[in-house]
């Protein structure tokens, strides 16, 4: 059974609509785009996914108008998200059109576009994002902060540091995330300063883990020896730094250096606390514990490490 549609039949069954969406990639763009516009907002994610695939197969000049228009649909989040997915996959060629739409007075559209800029690597987006660092809307400002972080723009660090003058927890947590993405000595140094503020300590440790910065390792190990140290979180961060997302050619040297630093700097004072917390620790925390145990070659830790051989998430590290 079918129902009428101004641009052709729309099948009632999901599989029929999905196949129809896929078939439109083979039709002339001038006739396919209107149907894909409707299917991009379908209630079923499989149909929307098929529409995304077909839109990517068509010439961008034919699809960009409906993709950008979809961002203005306040009632259909699925359509907006699918349109954003296509725009991101189309890459830098869409940026001039995105910049044109940044003047929109629709706050939700503006936030979506600012977020989109962080997903498409291009230095041409940086001035646009910097402009929004002075915006009065906190959600727009935080979106700009996040996107600058995703673009890893170290040139904007001074401006981001200046935003810490605003005593706003919401912004500070976004700034911490941005610093972890940008990385480098200046960003890591600022994160070390922020660690001293207990309210942000957990977020800073997560940021160290995401950054994978070797510079953070001696700092983490030094803090692990302090009486009030959040040891499980520190070990979590240490394990994440060790398993940083690096090319294979760099990974061997990176992990070798982490192990050297652990052997050189790990304080023995928290060893007993680490052993006591091990059984209840999360997998990510145990990953750091296994790393430390392997570096220290302390026989008192051997049974704990051997137990992890049965853990499907940790047997490789153990």
């Amino acid at each position: 059974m079918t129902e009428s549609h101004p641009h052709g039949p729309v099948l009632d069954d999901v599989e029929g609509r999905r196949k129809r969406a896929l078939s439109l990639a083979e039709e002339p763009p001038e006739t396919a785009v209107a149907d894909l516009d409707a299917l991009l907002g379908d209630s079923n994610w499989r149909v929307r996914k098929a529409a995304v695939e077909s839109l990517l197969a068509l010439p961008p000049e034919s699809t960009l108008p409906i993709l950008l228009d979809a961002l203005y649909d306040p009632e259909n989040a699925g359509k907006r998200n699918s349109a954003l997915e296509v725009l991101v996959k189309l890459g830098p060629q869409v940026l001039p059109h995105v910049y044109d739409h940044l003047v929109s007075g629709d706050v939700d559209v503006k936030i979506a576009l600012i977020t989109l800029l962080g997903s498409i690597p291009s230095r041409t987006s940086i001035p646009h994002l910097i402009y929004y660092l002075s915006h009065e809307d906190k959600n727009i400002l935080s979106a700009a902060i996040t996107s600058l972080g995703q673009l890893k723009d170290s040139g904007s660090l001074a401006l981001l540091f200046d935003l810490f003058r605003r005593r706003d927890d919401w912004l500070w947590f976004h700034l911490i995330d941005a610093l972890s993405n940008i990385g480098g000595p200046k960003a890591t140094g600022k994160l070390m300063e922020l660690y001293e503020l207990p309210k942000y300590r957990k977020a800073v440790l997560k940021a160290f883990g995401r950054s994978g910065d070797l510079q953070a390792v001696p700092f983490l190990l030094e803090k692990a020896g302090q009486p009030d140290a959040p040891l499980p979180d520190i070990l979590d961060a240490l394990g994440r730094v060790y398993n940083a997302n690096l090319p294979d050619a760099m990974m061997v040297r990176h992990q070798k250096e982490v192990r050297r630093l652990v052997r050189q700097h790990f304080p023995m004072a928290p060893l007993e606390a680490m052993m006591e917390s091990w059984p209840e620790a999360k997998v990510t925390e145990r990953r750091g514990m296994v790393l430390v145990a392997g570096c220290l070659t302390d026989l008192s830790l051997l049974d704990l490490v051997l137990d992890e051989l049965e853990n499907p998430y940790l047997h490789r590290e153990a």
Side-chain angles (χ1 to χ4, degrees), residues 63-311:
T63 60
L64 277 172
I66 68 163
L67 293 171
L68 291 166
D69 284 348
L71 302 182
Y72 293 83
D73 186 339
E75 306 298 330
N76 195 329
K79 186 174 188 178
R80 295 196 304 272
N81 291 337
S82 296
L84 285 169
E85 180 183 349
V86 179
L87 289 168
V88 170
K89 289 181 177 178
L90 287 174
Q93 63 183 313
V94 310
L95 291 176
H97 305 276
V98 172
Y99 301 151
D100 288 342
H101 281 259
L102 279 174
V103 298
S104 167
D106 187 313
V107 172
D108 290 334
V109 171
K110 196 183 294 288
I111 291 172
L113 293 173
I114 291 172
T115 302
L116 173 66
L117 296 184
S119 302
I120 301 176
S122 174
R123 295 196 61 79
T124 62
S125 296
I126 291 170
H128 297 275
L129 293 170
I130 288 175
Y131 171 79
Y132 286 105
L133 291 182
S134 59
H135 202 281
E136 60 184 14
D137 187 298
K138 191 162 61 174
N139 293 314
I140 290 175
L141 170 56
S142 61
I145 291 169
T146 298
S147 286
L148 282 170
Q150 289 176 319
L151 293 180
K152 302 183 184 301
D153 179 44
S154 59
S156 64
L157 280 173
L159 293 170
L160 295 177
F161 289 169
D162 193 55
L163 288 173
F164 280 106
R165 294 182 181 181
R166 297 177 61 165
R167 297 291 175 177
D168 186 309
D169 289 345
W170 172 264
L171 293 181
W172 278 44
F173 285 118
H174 281 85
L175 286 165
I176 289 169
D177 284 346
L179 295 183
S180 74
N181 285 322
I182 293 171
K186 290 183 179 179
T188 299
K190 185 64 176 180
L191 289 172
M192 289 176 180
E193 291 179 23
L194 294 169
Y195 176 88
E196 303 305 327
L197 302 174
K199 181 190 296 187
Y200 305 105
R201 191 163 291 169
K202 194 176 186 73
V204 167
L205 290 172
K206 287 183 178 180
F208 281 137
R210 282 194 301 271
S211 71
D213 192 342
L214 282 172
Q215 184 185 350
V217 175
F219 177 84
L220 291 171
L221 296 172
E222 176 191 345
K223 297 304 178 183
Q226 295 180 349
D228 61 342
L231 189 59
D233 293 319
I234 290 175
L235 292 167
D236 183 317
L238 188 62
R240 291 180 189 275
V241 172
Y242 183 72
N243 292 288
N245 185 21
L246 295 173
D248 291 343
M250 300 173 61
M251 192 64 165
V252 173
R253 180 180 297 178
H254 173 86
Q255 292 188 332
K256 181 179 180 181
E257 181 62 11
V258 173
R259 291 193 297 269
R260 185 190 71 79
L261 290 169
V262 172
R263 286 194 295 270
Q264 182 176 338
H265 295 284
F266 188 81
M268 300 307 292
L271 196 60
E272 184 176 347
M274 185 181 84
M275 295 173 64
E276 291 176 354
S277 63
W278 195 312
E280 303 300 323
K282 301 174 184 175
V283 169
T284 53
E285 296 165 356
R286 290 189 189 188
R287 192 164 282 127
M289 294 174 179
V290 170
L291 167 64
V292 168
C295 293
L296 299 183
T297 60
D298 189 316
L299 291 179
S300 66
L301 300 169
L302 181 60
D303 288 343
L304 291 167
V305 175
L306 290 176
D307 287 343
E308 300 299 355
L309 292 173
E310 303 298 321
N311 189 327

